Amino acid sequence: MALMPTPTRRRARATTALLALLAATGALAAPGPARADSAPEDPETRQTVTYHGYRIEAPAHWRVVDLADTPRACPRLDTPTIYLGEPAAETDCPAKVVGRTAGLVIEPITTRSAARTTPATARTPRGRATAPTAPSSNGTIQVAVEDAGVLVTAAHTPHTESLVRTVLTSAELTPAARRTELPRTAQPPTTLAAAAPQPGTYLGKGFDACTAPSTAAMNAWQTSSPYSAVGVYISGSFRGCAQPNLTASWVTTQTNNGWHLIPIDVGRQAPCTSYSLKMSTDPATAKSQGVTAAAAAVTAAANLGIPAGSALYSDIEAYNSTTACKAAVLSYLSGWSARLHASGYLSGFYSSAASGIRDAASEYDNSAYTRVDHIFYAWWNGAADTNTGSYVPSTHWSGHQRIHQYAGEVTESYGGYSINIDRDYLDVATGSTPPPPTCTTVNLDFTAYTTLQSGATGSRVTAAQCLLKAAGYDPGTPDGVFGPATTTATRAFQTSKGLTADGVIGPRTWTALLARGTTPTLQNGSTGEAVTRLQRALTAALGRTVAIDGVFGSGTTQAVRDYQSTRALTTDGIVGPATWSALQSGR
C-alpha cells in the first residue's frame, strides 16, 4: 500500500528481506532481472515445467518454487514465478507487495482449491490441457485441467497477458496425468455472504496484510489481539500476492465471527510514478479506467459475498503530485466512485496522506469530480486515531468515513500465529445506500446474461431496462423490477428485430440489445466502447464469459471466431458489417 509521507522506500526493504528468506530456505536460486515480457519461443531461453502430469513451456528466467519443499513461501506475483502445489494456509509474506509481473500457481484440484474458482474459471475438454477460451478477470486467468487434476491460476498485467496465454497454450498432458474433476457440489458464492455491509460500523484498531490470514490465525488473533478489522485485497490487476485463503466461505466465517473487512482493490497507479501499470494522463481516459476497475471490483465483491452498501477501497500508491497527475488521479477516482454508486457500493480511496489524500481533500467541493465516500490514509506517525493533521481539514470526511494506517511493516504474534502487518485505526459507519442508478452510470458488464421475465429483479433487470430505453422502447424508471411496462417494451423491441415477441429477455434479445450502436470494423488490437459492446454481446450470444475490458485481444478473437463459425459467417476473427448485423439482429 502507499508509503507513509516520508522518503523511506519500504518496498525495497520488504523485497530484500523476502529474497534473503527464500534463499536461506533453498526456495530459489539467485534470481535474474524481474522481467516477464519475453515470449518463450527460443528453446535456448525456455524451460519445461511439469507437475501432476501437466507440462508447460515457460521463460527460462521465471523462478519455479516447489511448495512441497518450502510450504510457507509467500505466493507473491511481483517477480515472474511458477508455484507448484497448494499454497499453505500460513505463509511468510511481507505486509505489502504492490505490483505484479506474471506468474502461475499450479495446484491439485481439492475442495479447498475449488472454493477459489469463480464463474470465469475455464475447464479444459476431455483429453486436453488447454481451454479454447479462458477469460481474464481481475488480471487473472484460471483453468481447471481436470484430466491432470490441477487448477492453474495465472496472474498477469495488460502488458504480460499475451505472454501468459502463450505459456498456457503450450500445456500438454503427460502419461502421469490422473483425472480429478472439479467438485460440482461446492457451495456457490451466491449462497454465502458477509454478515452485513463492510467494513460496517466500527471504531477501533485493525490491520492489513498482503494475503488474507487463515481462519485459524484469524480466530487466534480475535481472542488475543487488539484488532477487530482486517484489510483484504479482493481485486485489481496490480495486487502483489495471491490469495489462497480468500473465498466466499472465508468472508462469511470471519464476518459472522465479528471481524470487519476492509475490501481493497489494487489497480492502475498514478501516471507520475515508475509503476508499470499506470492510468492515463488524459482525464477522460483515466475516468473510463476507473469505471472499468470499479466494475471488476464489484464482480469480485459479489463473488466473495461482500454485499452492496459496502465500501470498496481503491489503492493508489504514493506519488509526487503535479497538476496533470492530480487531474488523472481524481478523474480515475470519479469513474471509480460513479461506477460503485451505480451498483449500490460506497467508494473508498487509499493513498499516502501526503499525496493522493491531500489531492482529494484539495478538491473536496469541486463538482467536476465525484467525491469518494471514505478515505484510508497512510501516515505512519504511530498515533492510533483518525486525525489527519495538515493533510485534510477536520470538516472533510468527518462522518465516520476515515481509516488511518498509522504504522507499517511490523510483525505481531498472537495465539501462536505471527503475521507481518500494517496497523490501522478505523472510525467508520455504514452509510446510506447511494441513490438509485441512472442509465448514465448503470452497470452493463456481467459474466452471464441470464434469462429475465416478468417478476425478475436485480441489477441485470436494471441493465435491460436501460438498454431498452436507449433503443427507444421506454420501460419506465430503471428500478430493477421486471414489471408490465418492461414486458411491453421488450415485446416492442423484439418485434422490431423480428424476434419472437414473448416479453422474455433471453440470449437472442440480450444479444440484440447489447450489440446495438455503431458498427466499426474491429479486429485484434482494437480498443474502445465498440469493443466493450461486442464483448457483452458475445457473452450473451455464446452463453459463456468473454472478458469485458474494451480490448480486442486473443480471447475476444477466439470468441468472434466461435460466433462466426456457429452462425455460418466467414470465420476470420474480424468483426465487419456481416458479423455486426448478425449480432444486432439477435442471431
Side-chain angles (χ1 to χ4, degrees):
M1 298 182 79
L3 302 178
M4 61 183 290
T6 74
T8 303
R9 301 301 294 180
R10 64 189 176 102
R11 209 71 62 198
R13 296 199 314 272
T15 301
T16 302
L18 183 79
L19 292 178
L21 171 65
L22 292 178
T25 58
L28 56 92
R35 24 180 244 288
D37 54 357
S38 56
E41 297 175 355
D42 183 352
E44 297 297 322
T45 61
R46 68 187 182 190
Q47 61 180 318
T48 300
V49 179
T50 303
Y51 180 78
H52 275 221
Y54 175 81
R55 182 169 60 207
I56 57 172
E57 299 289 329
H61 65 271
W62 284 22
R63 295 187 302 143
V64 178
V65 176
D66 188 339
L67 296 177
D69 295 335
T70 55
R72 289 182 61 89
C74 177
R76 55 190 297 169
L77 308 172
D78 57 336
T79 298
T81 305
I82 300 172
Y83 295 94
L84 304 178
E86 189 171 57
E90 316 298 336
T91 57
D92 292 320
C93 287
K96 298 295 176 291
V97 181
V98 174
R100 66 169 57 174
T101 52
L104 277 67
V105 177
I106 306 172
E107 60 186 311
I109 292 176
T110 64
T111 301
R112 179 173 178 244
S113 64
R116 294 194 294 277
T117 61
T118 74
T121 302
R123 291 182 173 86
T124 59
R126 283 272 192 171
R128 297 283 301 278
T130 61
T133 55
S136 174
S137 178
N138 267 306
T140 302
I141 303 165
Q142 192 172 70
V143 182
V145 187
E146 294 177 305
D147 272 6
V150 297
L151 181 67
V152 182
T153 304
H156 63 82
T157 70
H159 307 301
T160 60
E161 180 177 358
S162 177
L163 171 59
V164 166
R165 288 190 180 278
T166 298
V167 173
L168 292 175
T169 56
S170 74
E172 298 177 336
L173 298 173
T174 75
R178 297 292 181 269
R179 183 174 177 84
T180 300
E181 293 189 357
L182 197 65
R184 287 350 191 237
T185 57
Q187 195 171 21
T190 52
T191 66
L192 297 164
Q198 300 299 312
T201 299
Y202 175 62
L203 177 67
K205 291 183 176 182
F207 72 94
D208 51 272
C210 194
T211 184
S214 69
T215 292
M218 294 295 288
N219 289 343
W221 277 48
Q222 184 183 47
T223 301
S224 308
S225 81
Y227 306 113
S228 292
V230 58
V232 288
Y233 293 89
I234 69 165
S235 60
S237 56
F238 215 49
R239 287 173 294 166
C241 288
Q243 298 292 337
N245 296 321
L246 186 57
T247 64
S249 177
W250 186 93
V251 167
T252 301
T253 298
Q254 307 319 321
T255 57
N256 283 340
N257 286 345
W259 283 98
H260 298 262
L261 307 185
I262 309 168
I264 305 167
D265 173 274
V266 189
R268 293 181 181 272
Q269 299 298 301
C272 51
T273 66
S274 60
Y275 289 113
S276 62
L277 184 63
K278 295 182 279 195
M279 61 191 74
S280 173
T281 54
D282 174 61
T285 303
K287 183 174 182 179
S288 176
Q289 291 168 338
V291 170
T292 300
V298 167
T299 298
N303 287 339
L304 289 169
I306 298 172
S310 298
L312 308 182
Y313 297 80
S314 176
D315 178 339
I316 298 177
E317 295 293 308
Y319 57 91
N320 295 318
S321 187
T322 65
T323 299
C325 196
K326 173 182 174 180
V329 169
L330 296 186
S331 296
Y332 180 93
L333 290 171
S334 288
W336 167 263
S337 297
R339 180 60 184 79
L340 289 181
H341 291 171
S343 292
Y345 287 82
L346 298 174
S347 68
F349 173 34
Y350 172 92
S351 192
S352 165
S355 57
I357 300 300
R358 181 160 56 189
D359 279 352
S362 70
E363 303 295 338
Y364 186 83
D365 292 317
N366 187 345
S367 61
Y369 300 114
T370 302
R371 185 195 304 159
V372 296
D373 301 302
H374 285 195
I375 56 171
F376 181 5
Y377 59 98
W379 182 19
W380 291 3
N381 62 355
D385 58 27
T386 53
N387 174 39
T388 48
S390 62
Y391 299 114
V392 179
S394 60
T395 55
H396 295 0
W397 295 288
S398 58
H400 308 291
Q401 299 164 280
R402 297 182 173 201
I403 304 175
H404 177 194
Q405 186 183 85
Y406 63 93
E409 293 189 339
V410 295
T411 297
E412 298 190 25
S413 298
Y414 298 98
Y417 293 87
S418 296
I419 308 174
N420 189 251
I421 66 169
D422 292 336
R423 295 170 178 159
D424 307 317
Y425 189 83
L426 296 79
D427 182 1
V428 293
T430 302
S432 59
T433 303
T438 66
C439 288
T440 303
T441 57
V442 72
N443 176 37
L444 301 178
D445 302 341
F446 298 96
T447 56
Y449 293 90
T450 53
T451 297
L452 305 175
Q453 56 189 317
S454 181
T457 60
S459 57
R460 286 175 177 78
V461 175
T462 304
Q465 291 169 328
C466 287
L467 291 167
L468 287 166
K469 185 184 287 287
Y473 302 91
D474 190 1
T477 302
D479 57 3
V481 178
F482 203 126
T486 303
T487 300
T488 299
T490 300
R491 285 176 175 158
F493 175 78
Q494 290 169 327
T495 299
S496 74
K497 296 296 181 181
L499 301 171
T500 302
D502 56 7
V504 176
I505 302 179
R508 297 191 65 184
T509 303
W510 268 123
T511 300
L513 283 169
L514 292 162
R516 188 186 156 277
T518 59
T519 58
T521 298
L522 303 175
Q523 57 189 312
N524 191 38
S526 298
T527 61
E529 183 272 340
V531 177
T532 300
R533 282 192 289 113
L534 169 67
Q535 292 166 330
R536 294 169 182 152
L538 289 171
T539 296
L542 297 173
R544 69 168 191 257
T545 301
V546 177
I548 302 171
D549 58 7
V551 179
F552 200 126
S554 57
T556 302
T557 299
Q558 185 61 56
V560 170
R561 289 180 176 275
D562 291 345
Y563 177 79
Q564 291 170 328
S565 67
T566 56
R567 270 68 175 180
L569 300 169
T570 301
T571 307
D572 57 7
I574 299 173
V575 181
T579 303
W580 274 121
S581 177
L583 288 165
Q584 293 185 342
S585 63
R587 283 179 60 189

